[in-house]
Each structure stands twice: as C-alpha cells, then as structure tokens.
Amino acid sequence: MPSTASTSLPQKYYLSHARELFDFVRLECSHLLDKHHLDYLQRFNELDENSQCLLIRCLARKPKFIKRASLSYPEIDSLSSALNTLLEQEFLALATPSDWPNLATALTKPELLALVRLYGHAVKSSVSRQEVVEFSTQQLDASHLTDADLLNNFVVRRQSQTVDYIFFLFFGDLRNRFQKFAMRDLGVLRTRKSNSKPVARFEQADDAYSAFELQQLRRSFQADPQATQEAAADYLLSKHPVGFAAQQTHSKLLLEVGNELLSQNADRALQLWRTSNEPQAVEKWVRETHRQGDRSALKVELETLREKDLPASCQVFIEDFYARKYQGKRTSVYTDLVREPTRALQLDEAYINDVEDGVIEHYQRQGISAQFSENKCWRALFALTFWELLFGEQEINYGEFDRLPPLLRNGQFYQSLETRIEQILLGFDDPQRMLKSIARCATINYGQPNGIFRWRANLLDLLKPCVLHSPPTAIAQVLRRMAMNYQHARDGYPDLLVVENSELRFEEIKAPGDSLRPNQLVSINRLRRAGYRVDISQVHWSTNPDQVYAVVDIETTGSMKGGNAITEVAVVQVRGGNIISEWSTLVNPQRRIPAYITRLTHIDDAMVANAPVFAEIADQLRDQLRDCIFVAHNVGFDYGFIKAAYEAIGQSFRKPKYCTVRNSRKAFPGLKSYSLGALTTHFDIDLVGAHRALNDARATAHLLRLIQDQNASC
C-alpha cells in the first residue's frame, strides 16, 4: 500500500536520495562497473557534505551548462567553498572556448541579443530565440566569448558519461529522474514494495554497456535527427547489440533512423528497416521494396517470411500483402473485417468525442449490460491470475521504481515458469473458482502498484461477467498467449464487453473515419480463436428526436474552479426542440460571495444562507441529468464546476457534452460575437434577468433549437 503522504521533506533530502542510488550501484552493480565508475563513487564519498549537496544539485539539473549565479541554496553552508572544491576535484569545470556553440543554447534570448549587439550585429528584438541562437553561433566564435568574459559565468558537469552510466544502471534509462525519490517520500508516487531484495538489471557488463551506448545514441538522435542520422545509421549497421535490452533499443532505433533517412536515401532506409525486428519496420521495407519495383524478388522473400515465426501483427500484414499483390485479392484484411455484417448504431452527434460512452448508454437504455473494457479487462485478469508468480516471494526485482516485472519486460515469463503457469490455468476450469481466486487476490493486494493495470473500486464488476460468461477454456487461451508474449499481446482488445440475454460478446466500436490498427486485428482474431464472439459496431451520427438534452446554467462565486463554488444551478430539459421540464435551486457555496458577483447575478450572501449545500442537491441534479446530453453555453465552464463539486463530495461525474458556443459558430458563421447576450439579441431570444441560472438556461435551450433547426436544413 502507498505510504502516507508527508507534508515536507528534510532539508537535504536530495543528498540521502543520491546516497541511496550510489550505494545500490556500488554494492549491487559492482560487476558492471569499470575503474573510473568506482573511482567517481569513491571520490564522491570523500567529499565534504556541502560539496556533495552542491554536486547533487547540479546533477539534478537538466542543462549541461549551469550559471554560477543560479547556484544559490540556503541549506548549503559556504557555497563558494563547495564550488571551489568541486572545481578543484574536477567534478565541475568552468566553461571553455571549445564549449561554444553548445553554450549558446544555455543563454537566454536577452543575453544572446546583448552579446551579438556588443560586436556590432543588428538583430531585431522581435525574432525568435531559436533564430538568435542560430545567428549567434554563425556570427560569433569562442574569442568573442572570452572577450565578453562570458565563460566564467558558467560551470559544466564533468564526467557526464560516467554519471549517466551510474544513473542508467539504477533507472534503466537516461532520463534524469531524481524527482521520483522526492515524489515517493511525499507519498505522491506509489512505488512497488517488493518482498525480494533489489538486484542489478544486467548480469553481464557487456549487456549493460551495449544497452547504455544505444540509449545514448537514441537520445542524441532524437535531440537532432538531421545532424546525427548518418552517424546513427553507421553505428546501427556495424555494431551488434548484446543482451535483450540492447536488442530492443537497437530494433527501435533502426526503425526511427530509417524513417528519417527515407526521403534522402531510400536504399539506406531499407537497409536499416530490414535489420529491425519491429513490425512497423517489416511493413515499411516490404512496401518500399514493392514501390521500387523489385516485385519478383520480393515475392520470394515474402514466401520465406510466411514460414517464419514472426510477431502476429507481422504475420497478418505479410499474409494480407501477399494475397493482395500476388494472389489477386482486391481488399485488405482490415477492410474485410470492417465490411463484415456489423451492427449499425445511430448515435446523437453530441457523442462525437465520447463514442464508447454513447454506445454504452444506448445499450443500457435497452436493458443490456455494457461496459468499457478494452485492455484493462485482460490486463487485470492477467495480473490477478498470475500475481504470485509476478510479484510473490520469487519475484525478480530491479527496484521500487520498476513497476513492470522484469520477466514480462524481457519476454521470459512463460519460458521461465511454464509449468506453474499451466497449473494455474488448469485450475480455472471452474468459473466460480476462478472468480473467487481473483477476488481474493484483489482484496489482499488492492492498491499495490504493478505496472500492468490500474486499480479501480469497481474492477470486479468488470471482470465478473467476463469470467462467468466466457466459453470454456477461452480465458485460459487468451491469458496463455499474454504470458508467452506480453509485450505484443497486452493491447488492441475490443472497446466494450456486452452481456445480452446471458450471452457475452466483445465489440469494437468504429465511428466514421476510424480504421482498424494491426494490433486490434490481431487481438480480435485472438479472441475469436479462443471462442469469443467479437463484433464490429459501426456508428453513424444523427440528431435523435427522442434524445433528451439537459441545458445547464450555473452561477458561481468566481470564474475559476479553484477557490470558488456554485451559488445557483438550473436544468432545462429539451426533447425534439421542446422544453419538457425545468428545475433550479440556489446553493450555499459555504464562502462569501464577492460584491462584484452580487452586482452581476443579484445573488448575495443572505439569499444563499439557508440554501442547501451541493451535497444535499447532488442526487437531485444527477436525476435531472440522467440519460441526457449535458448542454451549456461555454460548456467547459459549467461542466467543470459541476464535475469538481461532485469530486469534492467523493463522487465521479461524466456526461457527454454539447457546447452552444462552438456549435453556434459552426451553424451561424460570421457573427461579431457569440456570447449568450449577443446571440439572444441577434436572434431576438427573450432573456429577462440575465445571469440568473434558470433564465440563462431557458435562453440557451432556445438557442439549441435554432442550431439544430439550422443543421437539419443544411
């Protein structure tokens, strides 16, 4: 369980964090360290505490070049002495002429402008900082910096590669993540507390160095792809990665560098993609080879690839491409799947940004159980089924910040624990037994960070229908595949889990313009092979004449959610353009109403003194909004306040939204103003007593009808 959140950290908290990190690397990763790494750690331990603190402060910063004037930390005594010690011991150094032009990126725009103008260059203040950086690096050289005495203003971290490697051994990547320690200590970040002692993430130094070098290469390439692409390509094609982590980064980089090189050197890009194991890279080199016209040779290659054991998405692509290009098939497998006999659903256009919610509400109105499941259902089932193997006594643990179990990360879970995995799956031939097992596991481990799924209070409500209504052995088949290759089988699952007449089905929801992704196709096929019914539901947008719209308006103590509260709320229900009900109430905001708000709304402290607080009207308001589309003029304001008010009393709030500001702009383009007052004047809508909730809601309901009439006539 997460620790209780602290209110503050000790004065030199970061020093204890650094010692924790350095001690772990020194003790657990000694077999991965060279002499210069051990020497750095030893020399750090020999520094006085003030110098250690200043060094860690510098290491925690992102920029390589640090302004001396910014080194101001009240908890560090004799800061100048500490700085001199770090300079003498060569942990830090003053900037040198060779640091230009890299140093330019550490200067502010005013500093750069002052520098270039000092040497007679006229540069307008209106140009962007990037333009000033480019100009200064072109027009100035190191001698100008020396003359301007600029170099003495900056210090530079020394032995950056040594420090980066030490951090890499601890975190597994090159991101500077010192802040994670502080977030952990404050209780903001929940970390995985393992029963096992943390161990080094690499067994061999060659594996660690190979992975580290490739991470460095990727960081450099992503920072400046154009300048580093050729060097990156040379490295990737000449060096063989050692170890699983290096192979993963190598394969991803081959894809990324190939993408960058394609427009300039297609042959070079093809060479990189052919070396990669990424499914996207396979698809890219096949398509590019076919485009270049070498189709007979490609046919032979594809026939060979069809016999290889490739990731499922690769296999699907290759089979589909071969069938279309060499066997006369006219449509892709994705098109075929979407063209299957599907369920056509008419949804109100207000659900455009919440299509799955719209389908769920559509089913629920018919008495059909529907829930959003997608990946979370299968990931939760997977983790709760194999929890003891993943997080139990025998867990391999790299550290509390690594949430995803190493056996899943490196693809060795099934290979290492096949017998025990199969024993667990055999025990799930009885759905009730399986349900009891995962419920017990969820109860014992609720809230534990795990890197696989997120805990939710209603999690078992989602898993229960899947367990009880699945075909025999179906869950075991899906979980076995996830155990064998979690990285490729963890996502792409259909959006909804639906139970109708005690029959379970999964549904993938597609709105106009949506397409199937390769991993979705693979997951759909995986479920169907296991015995599940999986449908594709095609949504079409319309204005449903029977849909009820809840036009909402609120008055508040101020315009910002933080520190302000609702003083009045009104709901006008509209169906088919006609008002069918009205409801409003004052709300006691439990704080003073500012005078300027009273002048605007005519609601004062006396009026709300005996009004109910929000918690007392929350159920009434929810009833008014049930099965409705939430409508407001500038909907984000009203919706945001109401959502925050529900969250303040421990309740969630989620509704489809419709904004009459945005939609009036579309329906009636070219007006000078789209404020409610301006629109009521323009369209001669009756609005007496503006800035009272019910009056504004009535006017907005009238505007909604005009928008819908205009859209219907187009």
Side-chain angles (χ1 to χ4, degrees):
M1 295 295 290
S3 60
T4 303
S6 304
T7 56
S8 62
L9 293 169
Q11 192 177 49
K12 296 181 179 180
Y13 64 92
Y14 52 89
L15 181 58
S16 63
H17 295 158
R19 288 170 174 168
E20 180 181 341
L21 188 157
F22 287 163
D23 285 348
F24 172 84
V25 172
R26 180 173 54 83
L27 296 173
E28 302 299 331
C29 304
S30 59
H31 60 295
L32 307 174
L33 302 176
D34 283 342
K35 184 179 182 305
H36 61 281
H37 303 127
L38 293 168
D39 178 64
Y40 187 94
L41 294 171
Q42 178 63 32
R43 292 195 304 115
F44 173 81
N45 285 336
E46 292 171 354
L47 289 171
D48 63 273
E49 185 172 291
N50 286 320
S51 298
Q52 287 182 337
C53 286
L54 182 57
L55 178 59
I56 298 307
R57 284 291 198 184
C58 292
L59 293 180
R61 290 194 175 191
K62 290 184 179 180
K64 178 181 179 181
F65 301 96
I66 304 170
K67 290 182 182 178
R68 296 181 67 166
S70 71
L71 298 176
S72 176
Y73 305 104
E75 78 278 8
I76 300 178
D77 298 327
S78 304
L79 194 142
S80 60
S81 174
L83 178 58
N84 287 334
T85 297
L86 295 179
L87 291 171
E88 291 170 2
Q89 295 290 325
E90 297 185 344
F91 286 97
L92 300 177
L94 294 176
T96 66
S98 62
D99 290 319
W100 187 261
N102 292 328
L103 181 57
T105 61
L107 298 176
T108 65
K109 179 180 172 181
E111 288 170 335
L112 286 167
L113 286 172
L115 185 63
V116 295
R117 288 168 180 168
L118 178 65
Y119 292 100
H121 299 286
V123 180
K124 295 181 179 179
S125 299
S126 59
V127 300
S128 69
R129 180 181 180 278
Q130 184 58 37
E131 289 174 312
V132 182
V133 169
E134 292 174 358
F135 181 85
S136 64
T137 55
Q138 293 169 2
Q139 300 298 324
L140 303 180
D141 57 33
S143 64
H144 295 107
L145 272 72
T146 304
D147 293 343
D149 198 30
L150 187 65
L151 298 176
N152 287 330
N153 294 337
F154 287 87
V155 294
V156 188
R157 292 194 298 267
R158 295 290 300 272
Q159 296 178 277
S160 292
Q161 186 152 319
T162 298
V163 177
D164 281 349
Y165 182 70
I166 291 170
F167 280 23
F168 171 75
L169 293 179
F170 187 88
F171 289 116
D173 58 44
L174 294 180
R175 287 173 288 179
N176 192 332
R177 303 198 292 180
F178 256 130
Q179 71 275 15
K180 286 201 167 188
F181 286 102
M183 293 168 66
R184 175 200 65 187
D185 291 353
L186 288 169
V188 176
L189 177 66
R190 295 187 295 180
T191 61
R192 174 76 192 156
K193 302 297 184 181
S194 175
N195 294 317
S196 60
K197 179 183 176 182
V199 299
R201 64 184 66 247
F202 298 99
E203 294 183 2
Q204 303 293 331
D206 287 348
D207 292 17
Y209 289 136
S210 182
F212 174 64
E213 283 186 1
L214 282 160
Q215 289 253 359
Q216 285 187 306
L217 180 64
R218 194 176 192 196
R219 181 172 65 179
S220 300
F221 170 73
Q222 291 178 340
D224 192 351
Q226 192 65 32
T228 59
Q229 58 186 359
E230 288 294 345
D234 289 341
Y235 181 96
L236 293 170
L237 293 172
S238 62
K239 289 286 187 83
H240 183 73
V242 181
F244 183 81
Q247 289 165 8
Q248 281 191 314
T249 305
H250 186 261
S251 194
K252 291 176 181 176
L253 258 177
L254 287 164
L255 171 63
E256 294 169 1
V257 178
N259 292 346
E260 186 68 26
L261 279 169
L262 178 61
S263 61
Q264 303 166 44
N265 190 337
D267 289 340
R268 182 85 149 158
L270 274 173
Q271 189 180 10
L272 292 165
W273 289 336
R274 283 178 173 275
T275 312
S276 174
N277 293 322
E278 291 293 304
Q280 289 184 44
V282 174
E283 181 173 341
K284 283 176 176 290
W285 76 252
V286 169
R287 291 188 186 280
E288 181 61 21
T289 301
H290 189 270
R291 189 191 67 78
Q292 290 184 5
D294 193 5
R295 297 176 183 179
S296 297
L298 177 61
K299 182 174 183 289
V300 175
E301 283 191 273
L302 291 177
E303 288 169 347
T304 302
L305 285 174
R306 292 169 72 190
E307 303 302 320
K308 288 188 175 182
D309 183 19
L310 298 172
S313 56
C314 276
Q315 292 175 335
V316 169
F317 166 74
I318 290 168
E319 290 292 341
D320 180 59
F321 191 89
Y322 187 87
R324 286 188 293 115
K325 301 302 182 182
Y326 299 105
Q327 295 179 328
K329 190 172 181 294
R330 298 182 63 84
T331 57
S332 73
V333 64
Y334 307 104
T335 302
D336 293 342
L337 190 58
V338 173
R339 286 181 178 177
E340 287 182 359
T342 59
R343 182 176 289 98
L345 299 175
Q346 295 286 334
L347 287 188
D348 192 281
E349 60 187 7
Y351 288 99
I352 283 178
N353 296 318
D354 302 283
V355 60
E356 290 88 3
D357 287 345
V359 175
I360 290 171
E361 291 186 19
H362 169 83
Y363 282 138
Q364 288 177 344
R365 284 193 291 269
Q366 300 177 47
I368 299 171
S369 171
Q371 300 181 71
F372 184 76
S373 59
E374 205 183 39
N375 303 318
K376 65 181 182 180
C377 172
W378 290 106
R379 290 183 184 178
L381 279 173
F382 178 80
L384 294 174
T385 297
F386 300 122
W387 188 276
E388 198 57 35
L389 299 184
L390 294 167
F391 305 110
E393 293 292 337
Q394 303 303 313
E395 175 192 2
I396 297 173
N397 170 31
Y398 293 158
E400 61 183 308
F401 296 116
D402 278 63
R403 292 191 178 183
L404 190 67
L407 287 176
L408 293 185
R409 189 186 300 277
N410 62 26
Q412 297 298 307
F413 181 57
Y414 190 83
Q415 292 87 328
S416 301
L417 300 166
E418 178 180 355
T419 301
R420 295 184 64 185
I421 289 171
E422 290 298 339
Q423 287 175 343
I424 292 172
L425 294 178
L426 282 174
F428 283 167
D429 55 351
D430 180 350
Q432 291 292 347
R433 189 193 314 170
M434 180 179 186
L435 188 61
K436 287 180 181 179
S437 175
I438 63 174
R440 182 170 59 252
C441 181
T443 301
I444 294 171
N445 299 292
Y446 187 83
Q448 288 285 348
N450 59 81
I452 299 175
F453 73 99
R454 298 175 67 179
W455 292 101
R456 303 173 190 274
N458 63 345
L459 179 64
L460 292 179
D461 293 336
L462 171 63
L463 303 184
K464 184 176 179 179
C466 183
V467 173
L468 296 182
H469 297 285
S470 288
T473 76
I475 290 181
Q477 290 186 53
V478 177
L479 296 187
R480 180 181 293 108
R481 178 53 57 183
M482 293 179 73
M484 289 178 172
N485 193 340
Y486 180 78
Q487 295 288 358
H488 286 103
R490 63 183 175 177
D491 55 20
Y493 293 97
D495 298 308
L496 304 187
L497 183 155
V498 182
V499 178
E500 184 176 4
N501 298 324
S502 298
E503 293 186 2
L504 171 71
R505 69 173 181 268
F506 290 96
E507 284 193 29
E508 179 65 30
I509 309 301
K510 292 300 173 189
D514 287 351
S515 58
L516 279 171
R517 299 189 303 274
N519 66 329
Q520 290 177 315
L521 177 62
V522 169
S523 295
I524 288 172
N525 287 338
R526 182 182 303 123
L527 293 179
R528 287 179 173 177
R529 286 195 301 270
Y532 288 105
R533 173 182 167 186
V534 183
D535 291 350
I536 310 292
S537 289
Q538 194 71 50
V539 169
H540 303 281
W541 302 122
S542 65
T543 300
N544 182 358
D546 295 323
Q547 175 64 57
V548 178
Y549 294 79
V551 183
V552 180
D553 191 83
I554 63 171
E555 302 302 331
T556 66
T557 60
S559 60
M560 304 297 290
K561 293 192 292 293
N564 288 299
I566 297 169
T567 59
E568 188 177 34
V569 58
V571 180
V572 173
Q573 290 188 352
V574 177
R575 182 170 56 207
N578 299 313
I579 293 176
I580 59 174
S581 74
E582 295 181 345
W583 175 86
S584 68
T585 180
L586 289 168
V587 181
N588 187 336
Q590 299 180 288
R591 67 201 68 193
R592 189 182 64 82
I593 301 175
Y596 75 94
I597 293 292
T598 295
R599 288 193 295 270
L600 181 69
T601 66
H602 303 292
I603 300 173
D604 58 24
D605 293 329
M607 290 174 62
V608 299
N610 296 318
V613 297
F614 185 83
E616 294 172 326
I617 61 99
D619 289 344
Q620 290 176 273
L621 177 57
R622 199 179 286 277
D623 287 341
Q624 291 293 322
L625 301 175
R626 195 177 309 281
D627 298 329
C628 295
I629 292 169
F630 188 108
V631 181
H633 203 68
N634 188 15
V635 72
F637 175 84
D638 302 80
Y639 188 92
F641 261 94
I642 289 176
K643 180 179 174 66
Y646 274 108
E647 289 175 347
I649 61 173
Q651 297 183 27
S652 61
F653 181 80
R654 182 178 172 87
K655 300 293 293 181
K657 303 184 290 291
Y658 184 99
C659 183
T660 50
V661 173
R662 185 179 63 186
N663 284 282
S664 61
R665 291 181 187 276
K666 295 178 181 178
F668 311 111
L671 301 182
K672 290 183 179 180
S673 172
Y674 291 88
S675 69
L676 186 59
L679 290 170
T680 55
T681 299
H682 180 83
F683 291 111
D684 196 24
I685 298 172
D686 186 21
L687 178 54
V688 178
H691 299 296
R692 288 301 300 269
L694 185 57
N695 296 331
D696 285 355
R698 287 168 176 163
T700 304
H702 192 153
L703 178 59
L704 171 65
R705 185 178 66 188
L706 294 179
I707 294 170
Q708 291 180 331
D709 289 346
Q710 176 69 9
N711 291 340
S713 65
C714 293

